[in-house]
Amino acid sequence: MTPRMFLLSPANAAGPRGRLLRTSSHVPLATRLRAGERVPIGEVYTFISALYFRGKLAYANAFAPRRSFVITPCLGLLAPSTPVGEQELDALASVPIDATEPRYLEPLLRDVTALAREWPGDVVLLGSIASPKYTQPLVDVLGSRLVFPATFVGRGDMSRGGVLLRAVRAGEELDYIPVSGAVLRGTRPPKLPTP
């Protein structure tokens, strides 16, 4: 099997749970950040997004240990273990993920272009595949090498997170198809059965 690289879409640091990390005195992770501790971005995004990012991170760690990167709003691609502090969290919350936003697009294209030169295999997008804010810049650089789990079509975030965690528990990697030319929106599949 050809080795794969995984790109994980970010959690919304400007949303309610991201704001908790910047304001709450009752959330241990927020307390650690305010005390000056630097925390892996994977841990920060897992707190913010809960099931979905936890599923993406667990899946990437299970099937491509040390071969995954998190797409960020303004810091390009970061390994999930990259430590971030309050200053980075503020920056992540202040830049919209929008393909017309240079603070997002320029670091992303810089890092994806370098990745495309160094990595010969497929790159799996674990994220909102129907959103051009991720797919268009990545396809522009990676072309048909950018793939995604076929089962993502029609699923919402929570369902995708559940699919990824079930795959990890089963020890079975999902089937991938290229983003280019794929149907990215479809009929919502039935709810996942309760484990």
Side-chain angles (χ1 to χ4, degrees):
M1 180 184 293
T2 306
R4 294 184 176 91
M5 181 77 66
F6 288 85
L7 297 182
L8 288 60
S9 64
N12 180 6
R17 290 181 64 86
R19 284 194 297 277
L20 274 179
L21 287 183
R22 295 191 306 285
T23 60
S24 175
S25 58
H26 304 293
V27 174
L29 182 57
T31 303
R32 290 166 55 198
L33 287 163
R34 270 199 309 285
E37 187 175 338
R38 296 176 65 76
V39 178
I41 192 168
E43 184 178 345
V44 170
Y45 277 166
T46 296
F47 172 82
I48 293 170
S49 179
L51 175 67
Y52 189 28
F53 197 86
R54 183 166 49 96
K56 290 186 281 192
L57 189 56
Y59 187 86
N61 286 339
F63 298 111
R66 295 173 303 281
R67 290 198 315 269
S68 63
F69 291 96
V70 179
I71 299 167
T72 69
C74 59
L75 302 174
L77 300 178
L78 297 179
S81 60
T82 303
V84 295
E86 275 190 301
Q87 184 176 354
E88 290 90 355
L89 185 58
D90 288 343
L92 295 171
S94 68
V95 177
I97 296 180
D98 183 324
T100 63
E101 170 57 68
R103 294 174 297 170
Y104 161 64
L105 191 59
E106 289 169 10
L108 176 64
L109 290 176
R110 175 199 66 213
D111 292 352
V112 172
T113 300
L115 176 73
R117 280 194 304 265
E118 296 165 12
W119 183 253
D122 287 343
V123 177
V124 181
L125 175 60
L126 299 178
S128 302
I129 45 102
S131 172
K133 65 188 178 185
Y134 303 122
T135 57
Q136 195 56 59
L138 297 175
V139 166
D140 287 349
V141 176
L142 296 165
S144 62
R145 292 170 52 201
L146 182 69
V147 299
F148 72 98
T151 188
F152 274 19
V153 175
R155 292 189 186 278
D157 289 354
M158 298 299 277
S159 180
R160 289 192 296 263
V163 163
L164 293 170
L165 289 172
R166 280 175 166 77
V168 170
R169 282 196 294 272
E172 295 177 0
E173 198 167 352
L174 299 170
D175 293 326
Y176 307 114
I177 58 175
V179 171
S180 285
V183 174
L184 302 178
R185 289 183 170 84
T187 305
R188 185 175 296 273
K191 283 190 171 189
L192 294 171
T194 303

